[in-house]
Amino acid sequence: MEKILIKDIEKHIGNEVKLQGWIRNYRKASSKLRFIIFRDGSGHIQAVAFKPELGEEKFDIVKKLTIESSVELIGIPNKHPKNEGVFEFQLTDINIVDLAPEFPISKKEHGPDFLLSHRHLWLRSPKQNALMKIRHTIYFAICNYLNDNDFYRFDSPILTPNASEGTTTLFEVPYFDQGNAYLSQSGQLYLEAGIMSLGRVYDFGPVFRAEKSKTRKHLTEFWMMDAEAAFVEHAENMEIQENLIRFVIQTVINKNRKELEILERDIEQLQKADAPFKKMSHREAIDLLKSKGVEIGYGDDFGAAEEELLTADSDVPLFIDRWPKEIKSFYMKRDPDDENIVLGSDMIAPEGFGEIIGGSQREDDHDLLLERIKKENYDIKDYQWFLDLRKFGSVPHSGFGIGLERLIQWMSGVRHIREVIPFPRMIHRIYP
Ligand code: 4AD
Ligand code: MG
């Protein structure tokens, strides 16, 4: 008996095959007829159990089925008599693998806390399944784009001696007799070493920030793709980001139409985002906000509300660049035209999804970088290796980091970040 996946069902019309998976739901049509909604990870299908065909004994097994029991179904796939593109499975045999007791998650509304405590089971629901599939697509779309554009994968460490994104969100880990190590906030600094060997590199993995904020956009453990390229300056850095994100949009629309529909995502809105992105300086953004009545100064950072206002009239993402040096990281290169401005950029997604990428040209001058490390009160000896990169064949270079979950949120239209990672880690949640 050939074992197949539901996604391939069309290739097996009329032939008896085996499916393995779980009962999503069932329905009694008459004393002789039952319908089973069955899923196997690759898709779902309605199986038809008809007593005269299945026999008394096997039909009794069907009658015992419960939601989320695991089973093997044997039967014949057919085209649905009325609905184009829909298939049915005519049951000829059934084996229960494990009969489940009452499933804690039912059709009725559950609060987020209940669902998060049952995340291990919640992942089976159609929306969560769709989100995990979109996450898979986006992860590989990013890798494929970079692989095809001469970036080498270069894995950065998670245990690190120093901070890359400021000391306020560091997780400390006792490290033998060497004091404390920290969980990485971004692999960027290590990628800067990687480019001096390989030219263009990226990493992609979990990073950690002890974020005290309880927002829809913050996790304490999230996935970041950092990319870094030698001989790339500020403007080209933004071009690479734009091309990459447009490739991701196209790939998700191509591969995940079904999942986007399950999530009721407005696909047209996504299509509109695949057009030239907008750009303004931080100063211009402040002026725009002032003109909309926001009380804000030229040295201020943006919160979610400001980001939303700035992209309110836009279908495409917005780059905000040329930031005041005080509110950006120590490693960003200064604007040659203005000592107080850095060549950094944030990419803000439309529809209120906020910042999805942070990037910049990096300071490549040894003495200027040393000065800034001192100013941050960092211990020079922890950064000596990073300074060395400016001593042995320093080159202009730039890079950026994508927050994978932020990007999934935008692509799938999900308002809270906790749903787009298998097991979210937030300030008040570490279980399951
Ligand atoms: O803007 P960030 O802090 O940039 C960096 O870490 C750079 N070192 C990256 C680089 O240049 N290689 O973080 C990058 C992105 C943000 O734009 C956001 O999308 C996401 O990471 N991010 C978070 N996502 C979820 N939860 C959090 N707590 C996040 N903090 C940042
Ligand atoms: Mg940022």
Side-chain angles (χ1 to χ4, degrees):
M1 182 72 51
E2 195 180 350
K3 208 165 97 171
I4 68 156
L5 292 176
I6 294 172
K7 74 174 178 55
D8 301 323
I9 203 96
E10 196 169 1
K11 291 182 236 157
H12 300 274
I13 298 291
N15 299 318
E16 191 168 65
V17 290
K18 186 198 276 184
L19 300 175
Q20 296 170 307
W22 298 263
I23 306 294
R24 176 178 293 163
N25 215 339
Y26 52 83
R27 183 160 60 85
K28 180 177 169 181
S30 74
S31 60
K32 282 189 291 193
L33 185 64
R34 292 196 180 223
F35 295 108
I36 300 166
I37 309 298
F38 174 81
R39 62 177 185 83
D40 72 349
S42 82
H44 63 91
I45 193 165
Q46 174 166 279
V48 182
F50 188 47
K51 193 168 171 181
E53 272 171 35
L54 203 54
E56 180 96 37
E57 191 190 332
K58 292 288 178 178
F59 196 74
D60 281 344
I61 294 181
V62 170
K63 288 204 284 199
K64 278 203 306 204
L65 291 177
T66 54
I67 286 174
E68 291 305 322
S69 287
S70 46
V71 292
E72 286 184 338
L73 301 184
I74 292 138
I76 301 165
N78 290 315
K79 285 193 169 142
H80 191 280
K82 293 191 204 105
N83 302 341
E84 186 66 35
V86 177
F87 301 93
E88 271 189 347
F89 197 71
Q90 202 66 46
L91 262 200
T92 56
D93 199 359
I94 181 166
N95 300 308
I96 291 180
V97 178
D98 182 40
L99 195 63
E102 190 180 351
F103 199 61
I105 299 173
S106 58
K107 279 240 156 65
K108 72 168 208 272
E109 284 282 314
H110 294 288
D113 217 50
F114 178 88
L115 289 171
L116 284 167
S117 294
H118 293 82
R119 182 62 173 166
H120 51 299
L121 303 178
W122 185 26
L123 285 164
R124 304 180 188 195
S125 79
K127 281 194 176 168
Q128 300 309 312
N129 173 284
L131 286 170
M132 292 307 122
K133 285 181 177 170
I134 291 171
R135 181 182 174 101
H136 172 89
T137 300
I138 295 176
Y139 176 87
F140 284 102
I142 293 172
C143 294
N144 288 340
Y145 183 89
L146 293 165
N147 294 346
D148 289 346
N149 283 275
D150 306 313
F151 285 82
Y152 290 98
R153 186 174 175 109
F154 180 85
D155 301 318
S156 53
I158 283 176
L159 288 168
T160 63
N162 50 7
S164 73
E165 304 302 315
T167 49
T168 55
T169 64
L170 283 174
F171 277 111
E172 289 184 357
V173 187
Y175 200 78
F176 306 107
D177 56 358
Q178 299 199 38
N180 278 332
Y182 306 101
L183 298 182
S184 177
Q185 302 160 303
S186 157
Q188 176 199 323
L189 306 194
Y190 292 95
L191 294 195
E192 290 187 52
I195 58 164
M196 306 297 179
S197 167
L198 295 157
R200 292 179 168 212
V201 296
Y202 71 98
D203 65 16
F204 208 153
V207 292
F208 305 86
R209 297 197 187 176
E211 300 274 7
K212 303 249 163 43
S213 45
K214 266 179 73 182
T215 78
R216 298 185 276 112
K217 294 173 187 168
H218 288 90
L219 293 165
T220 55
E221 174 179 333
F222 62 99
W223 277 58
M224 173 122 71
M225 190 292 298
D226 296 284
E228 197 73 24
F231 300 104
V232 164
E233 303 201 33
H234 177 58
E236 190 183 352
N237 191 36
M238 288 190 288
E239 261 171 54
I240 296 170
Q241 294 169 46
E242 175 168 342
N243 292 336
L244 168 52
I245 294 300
R246 289 183 65 177
F247 178 74
V248 170
I249 299 171
Q250 292 156 12
T251 309
V252 169
I253 292 173
N254 270 332
K255 296 205 164 168
N256 292 110
R257 196 165 275 275
K258 211 166 66 193
E259 286 73 27
L260 293 170
E261 279 163 11
I262 289 171
L263 295 164
E264 296 172 49
R265 178 69 169 114
D266 183 349
I267 297 176
E268 214 173 287
Q269 202 59 48
L270 273 187
Q271 275 158 340
K272 282 191 208 154
D274 181 20
F277 292 3
K278 292 185 179 157
K279 199 177 303 168
M280 64 175 75
S281 67
H282 176 270
R283 194 179 178 82
E284 288 166 333
I286 297 288
D287 283 334
L288 180 61
L289 288 170
K290 282 178 185 290
S291 78
K292 293 190 180 200
V294 181
E295 271 178 47
I296 193 165
Y298 289 106
D300 290 343
D301 204 350
F302 305 124
E306 287 80 30
E307 289 176 352
E308 207 159 317
L309 266 176
L310 288 167
T311 47
D313 314 316
S314 180
D315 289 327
V316 297
L318 166 70
F319 282 109
I320 300 172
D321 77 342
R322 296 182 195 272
W323 291 72
K325 64 173 196 273
E326 287 80 12
I327 55 173
K328 285 291 182 198
S329 299
F330 74 96
Y331 51 70
M332 293 190 184
K333 191 174 175 66
R334 296 287 157 85
D335 186 338
D337 299 330
D338 187 344
E339 218 311 283
N340 296 309
I341 298 293
V342 291
L343 297 176
S345 59
D346 280 5
M347 187 193 288
I348 315 292
E351 300 178 76
F353 287 99
E355 181 195 330
I356 51 174
I357 302 187
S360 70
Q361 184 163 348
R362 319 305 190 187
E363 184 51 72
D364 47 33
D365 182 275
H366 178 277
D367 295 349
L368 290 177
L369 188 62
L370 177 61
E371 210 176 280
R372 270 181 243 146
I373 290 172
K374 281 186 185 154
K375 208 164 159 228
E376 297 280 340
N377 282 323
Y378 292 164
D379 194 341
I380 302 289
K381 80 175 180 339
D382 290 337
Y383 290 84
Q384 195 51 58
W385 68 271
F386 191 57
L387 284 160
D388 271 357
L389 303 175
R390 278 74 183 163
K391 220 160 39 182
F392 301 99
S394 188
V395 296
H397 64 285
S398 306
F400 58 94
I402 301 179
L404 175 63
E405 288 76 18
R406 300 271 184 94
L407 183 55
I408 305 170
Q409 267 193 282
W410 171 37
M411 290 294 106
S412 51
V414 165
R415 286 291 151 192
H416 205 297
I417 197 162
R418 63 191 168 211
E419 290 189 46
V420 302
I421 185 163
F423 292 94
R425 299 292 177 238
M426 293 167 292
I427 178 165
H428 294 307
R429 181 166 292 279
I430 189 95
Y431 175 91

